[in-house]
Amino acid sequence: MREIDAELWRLEARRTELLYRRGQLLTGLRTSGPGGGGRADTAPRVPPAGPPAPSTAPPPAPPAARNVLLALGGVLLAVAVTAFTLVSWGRLGIGGRAAVLGALTLLGLGVPAALTRRGLTATAEAVASLGLVLLLLDAYALHRVALPEAGGAGYAA
Protein backbone atom coordinates (compact mmCIF):
# COMPACT_ATOMS: atom_id res chain seq x y z
CA MET A 1 0.00 0.00 0.00
CA ARG A 2 2.85 2.35 0.84
CA GLU A 3 4.51 1.61 -2.48
CA ILE A 4 1.33 2.52 -4.33
CA ASP A 5 0.99 5.76 -2.35
CA ALA A 6 4.62 6.67 -3.04
CA GLU A 7 4.18 5.97 -6.76
CA LEU A 8 1.01 8.08 -6.84
CA TRP A 9 2.88 10.94 -5.15
CA ARG A 10 5.66 10.68 -7.73
CA LEU A 11 3.12 10.72 -10.54
CA GLU A 12 1.35 13.74 -9.06
CA ALA A 13 4.66 15.59 -8.69
CA ARG A 14 5.55 14.79 -12.31
CA ARG A 15 2.08 15.92 -13.44
CA THR A 16 2.46 19.20 -11.57
CA GLU A 17 5.89 19.72 -13.10
CA LEU A 18 4.56 19.06 -16.60
CA LEU A 19 1.64 21.47 -16.09
CA TYR A 20 4.08 24.15 -14.97
CA ARG A 21 6.28 23.52 -18.02
CA ARG A 22 3.20 23.64 -20.28
CA GLY A 23 2.24 27.00 -18.80
CA GLN A 24 5.73 28.35 -19.48
CA LEU A 25 5.65 27.15 -23.09
CA LEU A 26 2.19 28.64 -23.68
CA THR A 27 3.38 31.94 -22.24
CA GLY A 28 6.42 31.88 -24.53
CA LEU A 29 4.25 31.21 -27.57
CA ARG A 30 1.83 34.01 -26.71
CA THR A 31 4.53 36.61 -26.24
CA SER A 32 6.41 35.66 -29.41
CA GLY A 33 3.27 35.25 -31.56
CA PRO A 34 2.32 37.46 -34.57
CA GLY A 35 2.06 41.17 -33.83
CA GLY A 36 5.04 41.15 -31.50
CA GLY A 37 3.23 42.49 -28.47
CA GLY A 38 1.33 39.41 -27.45
CA ARG A 39 -1.58 39.17 -25.13
CA ALA A 40 -1.65 39.31 -21.41
CA ASP A 41 -0.53 36.18 -19.67
CA THR A 42 -3.64 34.07 -19.05
CA ALA A 43 -1.95 30.70 -18.68
CA PRO A 44 -2.13 29.35 -15.18
CA ARG A 45 1.20 29.23 -13.44
CA VAL A 46 1.46 26.19 -11.25
CA PRO A 47 4.63 26.06 -9.21
CA PRO A 48 6.16 22.63 -8.75
CA ALA A 49 5.05 21.17 -5.47
CA GLY A 50 6.17 18.33 -3.27
CA PRO A 51 4.15 15.19 -2.74
CA PRO A 52 0.61 15.67 -1.46
CA ALA A 53 -0.11 15.14 2.20
CA PRO A 54 -0.89 11.53 3.08
CA SER A 55 -4.46 10.56 3.81
CA THR A 56 -5.53 10.53 7.44
CA ALA A 57 -7.74 7.45 6.98
CA PRO A 58 -6.24 4.27 8.39
CA PRO A 59 -5.13 1.79 5.74
CA PRO A 60 -7.28 -1.31 5.31
CA ALA A 61 -6.13 -4.56 6.88
CA PRO A 62 -3.59 -6.37 4.73
CA PRO A 63 -5.00 -9.31 2.81
CA ALA A 64 -1.97 -11.40 3.81
CA ALA A 65 -3.28 -11.85 7.37
CA ARG A 66 -6.70 -12.86 6.07
CA ASN A 67 -5.15 -15.35 3.66
CA VAL A 68 -2.98 -16.87 6.40
CA LEU A 69 -6.02 -17.35 8.63
CA LEU A 70 -7.97 -18.95 5.78
CA ALA A 71 -5.06 -21.26 4.99
CA LEU A 72 -4.77 -22.28 8.65
CA GLY A 73 -8.51 -22.93 8.76
CA GLY A 74 -8.24 -25.09 5.64
CA VAL A 75 -5.36 -27.05 7.16
CA LEU A 76 -7.36 -27.54 10.35
CA LEU A 77 -10.33 -28.84 8.35
CA ALA A 78 -8.06 -31.19 6.41
CA VAL A 79 -6.64 -32.57 9.67
CA ALA A 80 -10.17 -32.99 11.06
CA VAL A 81 -11.33 -34.84 7.95
CA THR A 82 -8.28 -37.10 8.04
CA ALA A 83 -8.80 -37.83 11.73
CA PHE A 84 -12.49 -38.56 11.14
CA THR A 85 -11.61 -40.93 8.33
CA LEU A 86 -8.97 -42.78 10.34
CA VAL A 87 -10.97 -43.03 13.57
CA SER A 88 -14.35 -43.91 12.12
CA TRP A 89 -12.99 -46.15 9.39
CA GLY A 90 -13.57 -49.31 11.41
CA ARG A 91 -17.00 -48.34 12.77
CA LEU A 92 -18.73 -47.58 9.49
CA GLY A 93 -19.54 -50.17 6.89
CA ILE A 94 -18.10 -49.91 3.41
CA GLY A 95 -21.25 -48.24 2.11
CA GLY A 96 -21.25 -45.66 4.91
CA ARG A 97 -17.59 -44.85 4.40
CA ALA A 98 -18.04 -44.46 0.67
CA ALA A 99 -21.13 -42.29 1.14
CA VAL A 100 -19.51 -39.99 3.71
CA LEU A 101 -16.26 -39.55 1.78
CA GLY A 102 -18.05 -39.17 -1.55
CA ALA A 103 -20.49 -36.57 -0.24
CA LEU A 104 -17.77 -34.58 1.47
CA THR A 105 -15.56 -34.75 -1.62
CA LEU A 106 -18.34 -33.57 -3.92
CA LEU A 107 -19.18 -30.77 -1.51
CA GLY A 108 -15.53 -29.77 -1.14
CA LEU A 109 -15.01 -29.65 -4.91
CA GLY A 110 -18.37 -28.07 -5.78
CA VAL A 111 -18.57 -25.19 -3.31
CA PRO A 112 -15.52 -23.22 -4.61
CA ALA A 113 -17.30 -22.37 -7.86
CA ALA A 114 -20.13 -20.67 -5.94
CA LEU A 115 -17.66 -18.91 -3.65
CA THR A 116 -15.68 -17.59 -6.60
CA ARG A 117 -18.84 -16.16 -8.18
CA ARG A 118 -19.44 -14.24 -4.95
CA GLY A 119 -15.90 -12.86 -5.00
CA LEU A 120 -14.59 -14.96 -2.11
CA THR A 121 -11.56 -16.31 -3.94
CA ALA A 122 -9.37 -16.94 -0.89
CA THR A 123 -12.15 -18.90 0.81
CA ALA A 124 -12.74 -20.83 -2.42
CA GLU A 125 -9.06 -21.77 -2.54
CA ALA A 126 -9.15 -23.01 1.06
CA VAL A 127 -12.25 -25.14 0.41
CA ALA A 128 -10.80 -26.46 -2.86
CA SER A 129 -7.63 -27.55 -1.09
CA LEU A 130 -9.81 -29.41 1.42
CA GLY A 131 -11.61 -31.06 -1.51
CA LEU A 132 -8.28 -32.18 -2.93
CA VAL A 133 -7.28 -33.72 0.41
CA LEU A 134 -10.61 -35.56 0.41
CA LEU A 135 -9.94 -36.75 -3.13
CA LEU A 136 -6.63 -38.21 -1.96
CA LEU A 137 -8.42 -39.93 0.92
CA ASP A 138 -10.96 -41.35 -1.57
CA ALA A 139 -8.13 -42.73 -3.68
CA TYR A 140 -6.47 -44.28 -0.63
CA ALA A 141 -9.76 -45.83 0.48
CA LEU A 142 -10.37 -47.24 -2.98
CA HIS A 143 -6.91 -48.78 -2.97
CA ARG A 144 -7.30 -50.31 0.51
CA VAL A 145 -10.82 -51.67 0.03
CA ALA A 146 -11.34 -52.47 -3.64
CA LEU A 147 -7.82 -53.10 -4.94
CA PRO A 148 -5.64 -54.32 -2.06
CA GLU A 149 -3.71 -56.73 -4.27
CA ALA A 150 -2.59 -54.00 -6.68
CA GLY A 151 0.82 -52.58 -5.91
CA GLY A 152 1.42 -48.84 -5.65
CA ALA A 153 2.71 -48.54 -9.21
CA GLY A 154 -0.09 -50.69 -10.64
CA TYR A 155 -2.74 -48.73 -8.79
CA ALA A 156 -1.27 -45.40 -9.89
CA ALA A 157 -1.26 -46.61 -13.52
Side-chain angles (χ1 to χ4, degrees), residues 1-139:
M1 188 68 163
R2 290 181 186 159
E3 292 173 3
I4 293 172
D5 286 340
E7 186 63 29
L8 286 172
W9 291 339
R10 282 192 291 274
L11 287 172
E12 184 62 30
R14 180 69 177 145
R15 179 181 171 272
T16 304
E17 179 185 328
L18 289 173
L19 284 173
Y20 179 71
R21 179 74 178 132
R22 177 180 172 265
Q24 285 180 335
L25 291 173
L26 286 175
T27 301
L29 284 174
R30 287 187 183 126
T31 57
S32 66
R39 297 181 297 200
D41 186 14
T42 58
R45 291 195 172 241
V46 180
S55 170
T56 58
R66 181 178 58 229
N67 290 342
V68 167
L69 290 174
L70 280 170
L72 289 175
V75 168
L76 184 62
L77 279 173
V79 168
V81 165
T82 305
F84 167 76
T85 302
L86 294 176
V87 170
S88 69
W89 199 250
R91 294 184 187 151
L92 292 176
I94 188 69
R97 288 182 278 203
V100 168
L101 278 177
L104 288 175
T105 302
L106 288 176
L107 185 69
L109 293 175
V111 168
L115 290 172
T116 303
R117 280 193 299 269
R118 290 183 166 224
L120 302 171
T121 55
T123 307
E125 289 173 2
V127 173
S129 64
L130 176 64
L132 290 176
V133 169
L134 285 168
L135 196 61
L136 291 174
L137 286 173
D138 286 338

